[in-house]
Amino acid sequence: MSRIRPLDPLLISQIAAGEVIERPASALKELVENALDAGATDIAVTLEDGGMRRIRVEDDGQGIHADDIALALQAHATSKLTSLEQLGCIHSLGFRGEALASMAAIARVTLTARTEEAPHATTVTATGGVLEAPMPAARTVGCSVIVEDLFSQTPARRKFLKSVATEFGHCDELLRRLALAHPHTAFRLTHQGRLLRDWPVVTLEARVRAVLGEEFLQQALAVEEGSPLVSLHGWIRHPTANQGRENQYFFVNGRFVRDRLLTQAVRQAYQDVLHGQSQAGVVLFLTVDPERVDVNVHPAKTEVRFQESSAIFRFVMQSLHKTLSRTHPAAHLNDSVEGHASMAELERPEIPVGTRQTALFLEEPDRFHAALFGHSTSPEITTAALQHPVEVNSVHPGSPQPEAVVSVAPPLGYALAQLHGVYILAQNRQGLIVVDMHAAHERILYERLKIAHDQGLVMQPYLTPPVLTVDSREMAVIEQHGAVLLSLGLELAVRGPHQVALRSWPVLLSGVDPLPVVRQVLRDMDDYGHSGRLEQARNELLATMACHSAVRAQRYLSLMEMNALLRDMESLERADQCNHGRPTWRQIPLAELDQWFLRGR
Ligand code: ADP
Ligand code: MG
C-alpha cells in the first residue's frame, strides 16, 4: 500500500501551471497583462513557431526592483495584493502571483527588468523551477520576458499543442482582445521574423477600426447606455449587415471575459431581428463597480461573477434592445430630413408644381401623378386607388399650408408602382424608396402577432372549418401540444386518424390561406419539441406564422395597399429588417440618381 507524502514544490507548480497555462496564447496573455499592469504604453510581442518555441514580450512599464526580480518568478509572490479585502475590489489584471512561477516550472523563463531609479537592468533565468543567480544586464526602463520551449518540462501537456498556425492564431486572437481593451497602449506582433500587427496609441473607436476592420464599424450601431451603477458602451453589428467575422468581445471593467449571461443577453436582444443560428458580432465594454463583480472565479481569469446578475442581464439586454429598436425607418429618415431635402427639392424645375399640387401629391399621389402626366403609372392600380382614395393623413384638400404638409410628410413617402411583383417603389423627400414587399409585410405581421399574443389573440371561428390531412407525427404534436396551438390562435379539432379541422384562426390573419401556415407551425413545433425548447419557441412560431401569412412575391398590390404597408412600416419598431435579418427597404437619394445621370444641381 502506498503511503501519503507531501508533493514536491516543483510538482505543485507544474500541476498548478496546467490550470493557468494551457497553450502559448495563455502564457502570452499573462505576460501582456503583466506589462499592462506595470503601466506600459508600448508592448512588443515576438513569437517563434506560434509561441511554442519562443515568446518574448517587451514593455516600457515601471520595471521590477533588482532585489525583487527572483521573487517575481516564485509562486504566490505578487506586488498587486496584500490583503483579503483587496481581493474584493481588484483593479489590476493579475493578482494571484502564480503566472510567472507556473511558466518557470514548465519552461525556460528569462526576466530582464529595470526601474527608473536603477542604474542598470537585472536579469534572471529559471528552467524547470530552478533559478539561476540574478545578473546585471542592459536595457531601458521596463521589462522583457522570454519564455522558451513551453511544456519542455511537461511532455504530457506538450502533446496537446496543435500546429504552428493554430497556436499562432490563438496568440493573435488573444492580442486582439487585449488591444481592444487598451487603445492607449501601442501593440506590435512579430511572428517568424515578420511584423504582422502594428497598432499605435489611438482612440477606442480607431482601435476598434484597426483591430476589427473598417467594415465592422461602418455596419455597426453604437451603444451608449449608462446609469450611475453600471454602464455599457461599444458597437454591435447592424442586423442587416453582411456577416463577416462574427466574434463577440465582452469586456468587464477592461478585462476580456467569456460570460454566458452576456452572450445570452445579446442573443435575446437580437432574437427578433436575426435569423436562427447566426451570432451577432459585438464589442461591448461593461463597467460595474469592482466591488460588485468577482473576478477570482478561475485561474485564467476569463470568467466573472456578478453580484446582481439578473439586474446586469436586464440592463445589457434592454440597452441593446433599445439600440436595435432605433433601426426603424423614421429613425434614420427624420434625422436626415432636416437641412437636406426641402419641399422645394420635390418641385423639380422642369415641372411647374404649385402648392396645391404639392398638397395633392402628399394626399393622393396617384391622382397627383395623373394630374402631372395626364396618365397614371399603371391603369389597374390607379383605377383601384381612385375608387378608394388613399387615407394617408388627415390634411384636408384645400386647407394645407406647405409647412403644415411638410410636417406630416411620411418618412417612407408614397408608393409609385410595384416592380416585378417583388418590390414597391415609393417617392419620399429624399428620393426613391425601394421596399421588399414580402419582407416588410412579414415583419409587420410578426410584430402585430407578438403584441396580439401578449394581449390575448382574438380568434375568429370558421363557419365551415377547413380540414387538413396530417401524418402521425403532426397528429402527435396536435394531441400533445393543443394548448400551445391554442395560444397561437390555432384551434384544431381531431376529425379522424389523419384529419383535423381548423375551428378558429386569428382575426389578425383573416384573408390568409390558413392550411400552409398550420402545417409549417406543426412541423416547427415537432422540431422544437424534440429539442426540448417548445416553451421558449413562442416568438419563432409567431415568426413562422408571419412568414407564411405574408404577401408572396408576384401578388399585385393596389397603390392603396402599398401605401398602407408603408404607413405600417413607419409605425412599427424594428421594421428595418425582416425576421430573417434581411433589410426590408432601402433609400436611393435623389443626389445618387443625379450622379447616375451626371446631372449637376
Ligand atoms: P501577478 O501578476 O498575479 O502578480 P505574476 O506571476 O504574473 O503574478 O507576476 C508576479 C509579479 O512580477 C507581479 O506582481 C509584478 O510585480 C512582477 N511583474 C511581472 N511582470 C512584470 C512586468 N512586465 N513589469 C513589471 N513587473 C512585472
Ligand atoms: Mg500576472
Side-chain angles (χ1 to χ4, degrees), residues 35-226:
L36 290 164
D37 280 345
T41 58
D42 190 291
I43 298 177
V45 175
T46 313
L47 304 175
E48 281 173 35
D49 290 354
M52 293 184 281
R53 186 182 201 66
R54 199 175 140 97
I55 303 171
R56 188 176 75 200
V57 175
E58 293 173 283
D59 69 62
D60 63 348
Q62 61 182 27
I64 303 173
H65 194 282
D67 297 344
D68 292 350
I69 198 146
L71 261 185
L73 291 171
Q74 261 179 41
H76 314 299
T78 176
S79 56
K80 302 169 193 173
L81 193 68
T82 52
S83 70
L84 186 63
E85 288 78 70
Q86 284 178 355
L87 192 57
C89 183
I90 297 284
H91 291 278
S92 56
L93 293 165
F95 53 87
R96 297 169 61 104
E98 62 186 358
L100 287 179
S102 297
M103 284 179 241
I106 57 168
R108 178 183 167 84
V109 178
T110 307
L111 186 60
T112 308
R114 177 176 169 184
T115 57
E116 205 159 26
E117 303 77 35
H120 55 77
T122 307
T123 185
V124 67
T125 301
T127 316
V130 182
L131 239 75
E132 290 168 20
M135 303 269 282
R139 75 147 286 161
T140 50
V141 173
C143 186
S144 326
V145 188
I146 300 174
V147 177
E148 286 163 299
D149 299 324
L150 202 61
F151 306 125
S152 56
Q153 309 292 322
T154 48
R157 184 51 86 120
R158 201 186 174 96
K159 282 196 300 223
F160 288 98
L161 290 181
K162 299 279 190 307
S163 66
V164 166
T166 304
E167 296 304 335
F168 171 74
H170 285 285
C171 291
D172 191 26
E173 178 58 25
L174 180 272
L175 206 65
R176 216 180 276 282
R177 292 172 192 163
L178 289 164
L180 284 171
H182 300 275
H184 303 310
T185 301
F187 291 87
R188 280 185 307 286
L189 172 63
T190 305
H191 185 222
Q192 315 293 49
R194 285 178 53 213
L195 178 66
L196 299 176
R197 310 276 171 241
D198 188 357
W199 294 316
V201 173
V202 279
T203 59
L204 177 61
E205 184 169 344
R207 178 58 63 82
V208 169
R209 181 175 296 119
V211 174
L212 299 180
E214 176 68 42
E215 211 190 3
F216 172 76
L217 265 194
Q218 267 176 6
Q219 303 184 326
L221 300 165
V223 180
E224 190 68 72
E225 292 294 329

Side-chain angles (χ1 to χ4, degrees), residues 403-479:
E403 293 75 17
V405 173
V406 171
S407 66
V408 295
L412 293 177
Y414 294 99
L416 300 169
Q418 198 175 3
L419 185 69
H420 287 282
V422 177
Y423 299 107
I424 294 172
L425 305 183
Q427 164 171 294
N428 73 346
R429 288 197 288 181
Q430 287 79 19
L432 181 68
I433 294 274
V434 184
V435 175
D436 179 331
M437 186 174 99
H438 172 77
H441 191 214
E442 173 181 347
R443 182 81 231 170
I444 288 161
L445 284 180
Y446 175 52
E447 291 295 335
R448 289 224 172 113
L449 278 168
K450 273 197 304 185
I451 295 167
H453 188 274
D454 289 340
Q455 294 166 352
L457 269 178
V458 181
M459 287 151 73
Q460 187 171 10
Y462 279 103
L463 287 179
T464 41
V467 173
L468 182 69
T469 307
V470 295
D471 64 21
S472 41
R473 283 177 69 167
E474 289 165 334
M475 187 57 95
V477 171
I478 296 164
E479 285 170 347

